[in-house]
Amino acid sequence: METLGTFAHLAEEIAREAGEMLLAKRPARPEVLATKSSPTDVVTALDKASEELIRARIKAVRPDDAILGEEGGSTGDGRVRWIVDPIDGTVNFLYGLPDWAVSIAVEVDGEVVAGVVNVVPRGEVFTAARGEGAWLSGERLRCNTGVPLNRALVATGFGYETGRRRVQAEVLAHVVPRVRDIRRAGSAAADLCSVAAGRVDGYYERGPQVWDYAAGGLVATEAGARLGGLNGRPASPELTLCAAPGLFGELHDLLAPLDPERDA
Ligand code: IPD
């Protein structure tokens, strides 16, 4: 019988191996930029290679588990499901910016029980197991608490489609004057870990997929944050919001009337 710690440990081992492979194979920036215009560019190839490695490692140990990956979609139908983002923050990966991550979560009967976010260039591996806390380099993480909205440093992100971005910019125009400042790091998984580590106070975004927020979401909630959507709904691609409970409420009440779940 596996424990949550076993899942977290295996996910960590695999996320570290994928990270090492990506670091070793990531070509120098100019070469990557030169190939980005092609549909089978280096980033896509390494995204796929990373996911294939992760899938192979999971299957070798747990052949009956289901896997959902950003690149390979959904396979299997076990009670245990692995949720994999082989590179979260692909644009950062492309430009050589430090916020890109390998993100792996493990769900049992629909509940995320373990999560690992390896922010590879920073050498930071965030881990969490349900009920057992969130950790970075042996240190237990705690999100910031008691921060009012007007003092909050808030991370967010933008989608890839123009219509969605238009609305995101409109919503952001209402948020900027009401918070300390905004950060756009470029990886939702890393943003959620930043909430956990107190590097930002909150995060919201329209559009992140479950592989973007499953592992980081557990890291954040195990560090004391609340993760959810609008009006009591769970976090989803419609909207994902994360902060300590008090700030969560304030951010929610600022965002809800702005109808941030629409696309233009
Ligand atoms: C993206 C990143 C980004 C977020 C986007 C995501 P990808 O994931 O997490 O921060 O703003 O919504 O799609 O495409 O780099 O895996």
Side-chain angles (χ1 to χ4, degrees), residues 70 85 87-91 156-160 184-189 191 203 205-208 211-212:
E70 181 175 14
D85 193 340
I87 306 178
D88 184 52
T90 39
V91 175
T156 191
F158 309 110
Y160 291 110
R184 197 297 190 245
S187 157
D191 284 341
Y203 161 80
E205 184 172 352
R206 155 97 170 117
W211 47 77
D212 296 319

Side-chain angles (χ1 to χ4, degrees), residues 77-173:
D77 62 357
R79 283 182 57 212
V80 176
R81 183 169 79 141
W82 296 70
I83 304 172
V84 175
D85 193 340
I87 306 178
D88 184 52
T90 39
V91 175
N92 286 345
F93 181 77
L94 177 67
Y95 277 79
L97 285 165
D99 283 304
W100 56 268
V102 176
S103 171
I104 303 178
V106 186
E107 215 181 54
V108 178
D109 296 330
E111 184 182 57
V112 178
V113 296
V116 173
V117 177
N118 179 4
V119 187
V120 182
R122 295 191 187 276
E124 293 187 332
V125 182
F126 294 84
T127 61
R130 184 162 293 274
E132 292 173 18
W135 302 83
L136 171 64
S137 308
E139 224 175 275
R140 187 150 189 184
L141 300 174
R142 299 267 175 221
C143 72
N144 295 337
T145 55
V147 181
L149 185 65
N150 65 2
R151 296 281 173 82
L153 186 60
V154 178
T156 191
F158 309 110
Y160 291 110
E161 308 83 20
T162 313
R164 178 161 296 180
R165 284 172 165 249
R166 227 169 243 133
V167 176
Q168 287 174 319
E170 194 189 297
V171 169
L172 190 65

